[in-house]
Amino acid sequence: MQQNSLSVVDVEAERFRHFIVSVTDYAIYTLSPEGIVVTWNAGAQRFKGYHPEEIIGRHFSVFYTDEEQARGRPARALELARTSGKFEDEGWRVRKDGTRFWASVVLDPIRDDAGELLGFTKITRDITERRNAAEELERAREVLFQSQKLEAVGKLTGGIAHDFNNLLNVVMNGLDLLRVAPDPAIRAKTLDTMERAAQRGASLIQQLLTFARQQPLLQETHDIGRIIRSFEAVLRRAVPSGMRLQLQLQPEVLPAMIDVTQFEAALLNLVVNARDAMPDGGVVQVDAAAVQLEAGEVEQLPAGAYVRVVVRDTGEGMSPETQLRAVEPFFTTKEVGKGTGLGLSQVYGLAQQSQGGLKIDSRVGEGTAIELYFPAVELPVDRLAASHEFAAEKVLLVDDQPDVLETAIGLFSHLGYDVLSANDGPQALETLRRHSDIAILFSDVVMPGMSGVDLAHIVRQEFPAIRVILASGYNQSALEGGKASADNFDLIAKPYRLSDLIKTLGAAQPG
Ligand code: ADP
Ligand code: MG
């Protein structure tokens, strides 16, 4: 019995030895502890060109290139195999005829039961072809990438260049007009148009930068609901009168890490898209809520708590083909000059960079919902309380010029104010009566109907606690015969810059 099983082992060992010797796809050989070749199989002969009798007894460093030998690479390989139990490597090796091949090498130490080093086994594969194929693929990929880049640049030239040209035209015509037109009203209007063009150019650049990922995000924890609320005035201005904008914001705090400027730009892009999709009017709805996602529910987002922002319209919807390409930079179905194709790519870029996601739900003829997801941030309870305590001061901005109003809204929001707006005096008074917590009134002076100074006087009577700041393009003495300054309203000259605003607001602070 015992005798029998031993002989089976012997037979197995012999069979195994035979197998090793005759394997031709791998070079398998053994080395003495010093690196002298001890055994040599058919694969080794095939790869390296040495017959067993030519190589057995020689040092294995002959397989290395001269440079590698000079750098002591063979000895280091043995050393590493001995100390760490295994050594794996890829590199050039040399055949008997001097030609090279790219080898994948595994070197294992062999030890006896007492742990004494008996030698090494070495398995080598020739993967030159695989390496060549990989290099070829990499080259092809690079070429494809370059040609895609060129295509994108081509589209850029066609689309954006056209837009910029129009904007530059507005600015250059405006400059011509300013040189010759003496009428202050025309000059003011021209300045407004030029400013609008410059702002549109700036927002195009913003989108391009976001697209090129050149714009690092300024991520901070913010209550998304609050940001949308304070951005509402701008969104309203983006939709025409025949269209309704509805906000449905969960009243609880919705904290997430976002870049406010980029988020606002994304929101505006989505609302503008919704507007464009509803030439005959309709409803744009902006929702924000806290949601719990299962893994895989949205793109590759992991399961967890998210803040979801949805911009929904009842417009023409997207075909499946459009839907597939919608977030592609420069993809647009709009006529030249109307669309840049960068809106959704900005939105998508922002979602990606915020570790969030984007989902498009659209049906032709029914409408579109674009869902944005941002990872929710857990705020410690006392932080939440604090953020309520430090609720921003509310300011009411009044100007009859929509573009000027929009700029003012931007500046005040940037300064951290909670912004409300009105287009004229009566509307401002109505807003003041509805919101008892308005701290500052910031009004244009020259407006049709009730002037800013008239408004200021009523406000002083009815709401004595509210600080009044008047903005005018004319100098102080022109303000209704100095009445405004005599009444001690704070004044700021138009056009004002952010720094002017900070100075005036600082002076208007209590204490
Ligand atoms: P642009 O608005 O400049 O065309 P976008 O990246 O914002 O570029 O949008 C790309 C395309 O996606 C649009 O041209 C349009 O075909 C489609 N699209 C985006 N939003 C909507 C929407 N709300 N309804 C229908 N189609 C839309
Ligand atoms: Mg767009």
Side-chain angles (χ1 to χ4, degrees):
M1 204 53 181
Q2 190 79 343
Q3 197 59 15
N4 205 1
S5 68
L6 254 183
S7 74
V8 168
V9 169
D10 284 347
V11 169
E12 281 305 311
E14 177 55 24
R15 199 177 277 165
F16 186 63
R17 197 188 63 79
H18 196 74
F19 162 73
I20 295 282
V21 165
S22 52
V23 162
T24 56
D25 289 340
Y26 291 83
I28 304 173
Y29 53 99
T30 52
L31 302 175
S32 72
E34 298 75 35
I36 304 296
V37 177
V38 179
T39 68
W40 195 244
N41 82 338
Q45 181 175 334
R46 192 169 73 90
F47 287 0
K48 310 211 183 200
Y50 296 97
H51 287 280
E53 60 276 16
E54 291 173 300
I55 194 69
I56 289 174
R58 289 177 65 185
H59 197 264
F60 86 115
S61 57
V62 293
F63 308 138
Y64 284 76
T65 62
D66 291 344
E67 309 89 75
E68 303 248 67
Q69 288 190 34
R71 280 197 273 142
R73 195 69 192 256
R76 197 131 40 82
L78 292 186
E79 176 64 16
L80 280 170
R82 197 174 56 74
T83 52
S84 53
K86 190 178 206 96
F87 175 72
E88 291 185 50
D89 191 20
E90 277 194 14
W92 291 112
R93 293 294 185 272
V94 185
R95 297 192 182 93
K96 183 183 157 192
D97 64 9
T99 57
R100 293 177 175 202
F101 67 103
W102 188 260
S104 153
V105 177
V106 183
L107 193 58
D108 283 294
I110 315 166
R111 295 180 189 278
D112 65 12
D113 292 342
E116 191 73 31
L117 185 69
L118 300 178
F120 300 92
T121 59
K122 197 164 184 218
I123 303 179
T124 305
R125 273 184 308 151
D126 179 351
I127 56 166
T128 313
E129 267 176 32
R130 205 170 79 190
R131 181 188 153 91
N132 286 348
E135 272 179 358
E136 201 53 50
L137 189 66
E138 194 43 50
R139 258 196 301 278
R141 218 178 265 152
E142 182 63 22
V143 169
L144 181 66
F145 177 67
Q146 288 302 337
S147 79
Q148 280 173 340
K149 235 168 51 179
L150 275 181
E151 196 191 330
V153 170
K155 285 184 187 163
L156 175 78
T157 326
I160 310 269
H162 182 92
D163 264 27
F164 268 109
N165 226 353
N166 283 338
L167 300 177
L168 285 178
N169 249 329
V170 172
V171 173
M172 290 198 294
N173 290 342
L175 287 173
D176 285 345
L177 210 75
L178 285 180
R179 252 185 226 115
V180 296
D183 181 349
I186 293 181
R187 293 175 71 95
K189 199 154 175 235
T190 309
L191 278 174
D192 278 350
T193 329
M194 289 169 69
E195 185 177 1
R196 211 178 319 153
Q199 273 165 3
R200 170 130 173 78
S203 91
L204 270 176
I205 294 283
Q206 277 299 320
Q207 296 188 359
L208 277 175
L209 287 175
T210 315
F211 162 60
R213 306 277 153 93
Q214 292 295 327
Q215 190 85 322
L217 290 188
L218 216 152
Q219 286 184 317
E220 287 163 349
T221 304
H222 288 278
D223 174 5
I224 288 209
R226 206 182 125 198
I227 290 174
I228 298 178
R229 238 169 274 131
S230 61
F231 197 56
E232 183 182 350
V234 177
L235 295 179
R236 284 207 186 284
R237 233 154 291 277
V239 301
S241 46
M243 206 171 277
R244 278 195 298 144
L245 178 77
Q246 284 176 354
L247 299 194
Q248 228 169 65
L249 310 174
Q250 187 176 304
E252 290 80 42
V253 188
L254 299 169
M257 285 277 282
I258 51 163
D259 178 317
V260 177
T261 314
Q262 292 291 326
F263 175 73
E264 289 176 343
L267 214 54
L268 189 59
N269 282 332
L270 292 178
V271 169
V272 166
N273 278 349
R275 176 196 72 192
D276 290 350
M278 300 190 292
D280 303 323
V283 182
V284 188
Q285 191 175 316
V286 180
D287 297 352
V291 293
Q292 196 69 34
L293 285 188
E294 301 289 319
E297 220 176 307
V298 176
E299 271 190 340
Q300 296 105 352
L301 287 188
Y306 291 84
V307 176
R308 180 179 62 199
V309 178
V310 188
V311 177
R312 210 183 298 277
D313 65 61
T314 51
E316 59 204 12
M318 295 183 222
S319 69
E321 298 77 49
T322 299
Q323 208 167 317
L324 270 180
R325 300 193 56 193
V327 301
E328 224 174 78
F330 310 116
F331 174 81
T332 179
T333 58
K334 297 170 191 173
E335 58 191 86
V336 178
K338 274 244 166 107
T340 55
L342 285 173
L344 281 182
S345 91
Q346 184 264 337
V347 178
Y348 183 71
L350 172 70
Q352 292 284 305
Q353 290 182 73
S354 315
Q355 283 79 50
L358 178 148
K359 197 169 157 181
I360 300 179
D361 186 8
S362 182
R363 226 153 294 169
V364 175
E366 290 180 27
T368 302
I370 310 279
E371 299 176 8
L372 281 177
Y373 293 84
F374 299 96
V377 174
E378 292 259 359
L379 282 188
V381 179
D382 52 338
R383 262 289 297 285
L384 274 183
S387 72
H388 278 306
E389 254 169 59
F390 289 112
E393 261 188 314
K394 213 169 248 181
V395 60
L396 173 63
L397 306 180
V398 193
D399 203 308
D400 58 316
Q401 298 262 355
D403 299 325
V404 179
L405 189 57
E406 200 162 308
T407 318
I409 291 171
L411 290 177
F412 275 90
S413 304
H414 180 81
L415 289 174
Y417 285 87
D418 208 345
V419 181
L420 294 171
S421 66
N423 296 318
D424 53 36
Q427 203 190 336
L429 286 174
E430 203 189 301
T431 310
L432 283 167
R433 286 172 193 137
R434 272 190 290 123
H435 298 264
S436 57
D437 54 344
I438 292 174
I440 300 174
L441 172 80
F442 186 94
S443 175
D444 186 24
V445 169
V446 184
M447 295 186 291
M450 189 188 295
S451 81
V453 179
D454 296 339
L455 173 66
H457 279 118
I458 302 175
V459 169
R460 166 107 354 136
Q461 285 285 315
E462 213 176 308
F463 311 97
I466 295 181
R467 258 152 233 291
V468 179
I469 304 173
L470 294 176
S472 170
Y474 300 99
N475 61 32
Q476 291 194 12
S477 61
L479 285 177
E480 307 204 345
K483 215 163 124 241
S485 51
D487 284 335
N488 268 327
F489 295 123
D490 285 297
L491 293 169
I492 188 166
K494 271 169 115 182
Y496 45 84
R497 311 234 149 250
L498 196 55
S499 52
D500 304 333
L501 210 49
I502 293 172
K503 235 191 300 167
T504 311
L505 285 167
Q509 294 292 314

